[in-house]
Every structure is written in structure tokens, then in C-alpha cells.
Amino acid sequence: MLPSKLYYAPRWIVLGVNNICNLHCKMCDVGVDYNKSNFFQNLMGSHPINMPKELLTDVIDQTAQFFPTAKLGYASTEPLIYPHLIDSLFYAQHKGLFTSITTNALNLKRYADGIMEGGLNEINISLDGPPEIHNYIRGHKSSFQKAIQGIDALLSYPNPPTISIFCVITEWNIGSLVEFVDLFKDYPLKTIGFMHTSFTPINVADAHNERFGNIYKATASNLEEVNIENMNLDILWDEIKTLKSRSYPFPVSFSPEVSSREQLEVFYHHPEILFGKRCNDIYHNIMIKSDGDVIPAHGRCYNLTIGNLHKKSMKEIWNSTIIAQFRKTVHEAGGLLPACSRCCSGFSK
């Protein structure tokens, strides 16, 4: 029986500190300006553009008061162009909170000093392959080089934050994944993680909406420029096997972990088949948008406001009736809803 109230704290408070980005990633609805998806609306649909400093200060205060073990994750859309980033890191450090940034690292070198002084604990950097491929996918002629300069700047300090690199597998970087990992073989990374493309085709969204569209509407997502048919799964499977067979000074992982070429076929060409078992993120994470609205898990979830910090406390929102009902619905559906089939939260642990 699923409890209607969770008596533990969230693991992550995900901070949607702004809704602008400085790159144009081909596999992202934000990057290609596809504004009809839940993903786009969750990341870009709030105002003001930047989370007010007063609101973020309140989030930090409430986290320290109610959920001191929770981690603050600076995420969408691009934290390193958020004007109050460094000040808020200092404040979170003062409150004894763990901080993490997920970034494209375009501005990392510029903010390395402040990040170090602000006591950042970890940084997750999104890169999409070797330099030319990454720069093509991101729509910026030197974005890879600038990210490396930023990583080198952090590593020039004693006791830098832990550094992880994450790469979304797409039609453009298949065939270059081994080369990509080899570029970092001498870097003291925490991990390199490959993420299979998160996408929702229209047929999956439509099937979902027949059952749940009246309360948790799904939309097509992340397929405006991505063509799944262009992904060479034979080459991808060979690269997965090669990377699994090699030894690196850091772990190399895949999300989800795929154990056969046949499973790759199911993942990419049969998205109506649920691949994960259960969404754990809705029981452990919440995301706060720049206007104080709170949504489940993170930006890929349904466009469901479970509360607003201008009206209720974070403690009340964590167990609001809206999120409790959502958790109950997902649980009764078997752990995932139909449109959750290729969301990364379905593979989380």
C-alpha cells in the first residue's frame, strides 16, 4: 500500500534558476525552440526569466530548516548564466548544504574562481562527443574547447568539486563514443555517463492521453531534429561492448544499461514498450521553477504544478495532495505511465 505521506526528506531540490540557454542543442526542445512540449514548458514557460535572489534565498533557508540532508541541484536551463549563482553558492555553503551544478560549461572558466570560493561540491558537464561533433550538435563553433578550458581551470585548484561528464547518445555521435571517452583518460573524473536519447513520439503521447490526458497530459518531445531511424544501432552496440570491455580510471555507465542488440532495438524502435520498472524520482526529487512553482522530479515530467513557494512551504508542498495523488496514480499504473517509457527517471535508482 503506497503511503499518502512521505516521512523522509527529498534527496534533491532541483533548481530551475533560469529559463534561457546560450546554446542550441539539436536533441533538445529548448535548443530547437519547439515550444509545444511539456519539456519546453517546464523549462521555459515561467516568469521571471531568472529566479529572484530572494526566492532562492528562501529555498536555501527552507531546505536547511526542513530537509538539511537534501542536495541542491542547479539545473535548467543554464546555471552559469544565472546572475545570482555565486552569491547563492556562498549562502548555501554558509547553511551547510550540498550543492551541484549541471551545465554545458560554456562559461565555466569565467566562473571557476567563484565556484571554488562558493564551495561547490560537484559539477556535471554535458558534452556530446569529440570537438567537431559536439560543436555541431550544440550550434557553437568552440563550445567543446571552452568546456575543456573550464574543466582545466577547476582542476588547477586544490580540492576541486567532483567532475562528471554526461553525453546524450544521438544519431550524430554514434561511432565516436569510444574516441570521446579516450579524450578524458587522463582526467580525474568521477564518471562518464552515456544517456540514451529521451524522447516521446506522438503515438506514445496519444496512447497515454487516452487514459491519463485529462489530468496528466503528455506531448511529443525531443524529436524535432532527431531522427531515430538515422541511429546506427549496430555501430552503437559495438561501441557499448567496447567501452564495457575497457578499463578507465573512472566508471563508464549507460542509462539505461542495455544488455543486448535486441534491447537496443526495443528501446529505440518500440517506445510504446516500457523499458524501465518504476519512476523513483517522484519519491525523491522536486523541481522549483523561477516563479516559485514546484513540479515533480525535474523538467521532463508532466506539466503538473504541485504547489508554489509564494503560497506554501516546501515541507507542505513535498506532501501536497496533488503530488500524493500523482504518486498514487503512477504506482497503481505499475510504476510508470505510458508516456514515461523513455524518460530518464524511469531508469533511476
Side-chain angles (χ1 to χ4, degrees), residues 11 254 257 278-281 284-285 344-349:
R11 293 177 184 170
F254 290 82
E257 293 287 352
R278 180 174 185 261
C279 177
N280 288 304
D281 283 354
H284 298 291
N285 308 344
C344 53
S345 288
F347 323 126
S348 63
K349 296 180 180 179

Side-chain angles (χ1 to χ4, degrees), residues 2-8 315 318-320 324 327:
L2 185 72
S4 60
K5 181 177 182 179
L6 302 182
Y7 289 92
Y8 55 80
K315 187 175 183 180
W318 176 238
N319 277 303
S320 72
R327 291 169 181 149

Side-chain angles (χ1 to χ4, degrees), residues 34-42 200-202 204-221 295-296 298-305 322 326 329-330 337-340:
Y34 179 69
N35 61 12
K36 298 179 181 179
S37 72
N38 285 339
F39 181 61
F40 182 99
Q41 290 301 321
N42 281 335
T200 306
I202 188 63
V204 170
D206 287 345
H208 169 100
N209 288 334
E210 287 182 7
R211 296 175 58 191
F212 300 102
N214 61 322
I215 46 175
Y216 310 122
K217 184 179 179 181
T219 62
S221 180
I295 63 174
H298 56 68
R300 295 197 186 279
C301 206
Y302 304 95
N303 193 1
L304 176 69
T305 300
I322 300 172
F326 182 56
T329 300
V330 174
L337 302 183
C340 303

Side-chain angles (χ1 to χ4, degrees), residues 87-108:
D87 286 346
S88 64
L89 285 176
F90 272 96
Y91 191 64
Q93 181 184 42
H94 170 70
K95 289 288 186 174
L97 298 176
F98 182 102
T99 53
S100 172
I101 289 176
T102 298
T103 176
N104 60 38
L106 190 66
N107 291 338
L108 181 55

Side-chain angles (χ1 to χ4, degrees), residues 138-160:
R138 295 295 173 115
H140 189 292
K141 64 181 181 181
S142 58
S143 56
F144 185 93
Q145 290 82 352
K146 288 183 177 295
I148 296 301
Q149 290 170 7
I151 293 172
D152 290 340
L154 286 183
L155 291 175
S156 70
Y157 290 90
N159 303 314

Side-chain angles (χ1 to χ4, degrees), residues 7 69 72 109 115 126 138 142 145 151 159 170 178 200 222 225 244 275 301 314 325 342:
Y7 289 92
T69 61
L72 293 176
K109 182 179 179 181
I115 284 172
S126 300
R138 295 295 173 115
S142 58
Q145 290 82 352
I151 293 172
N159 303 314
T170 64
V178 175
T200 306
N222 295 329
E225 293 198 20
K244 290 294 186 182
F275 206 84
C301 206
M314 195 183 303
Q325 181 57 53
R342 295 301 178 266

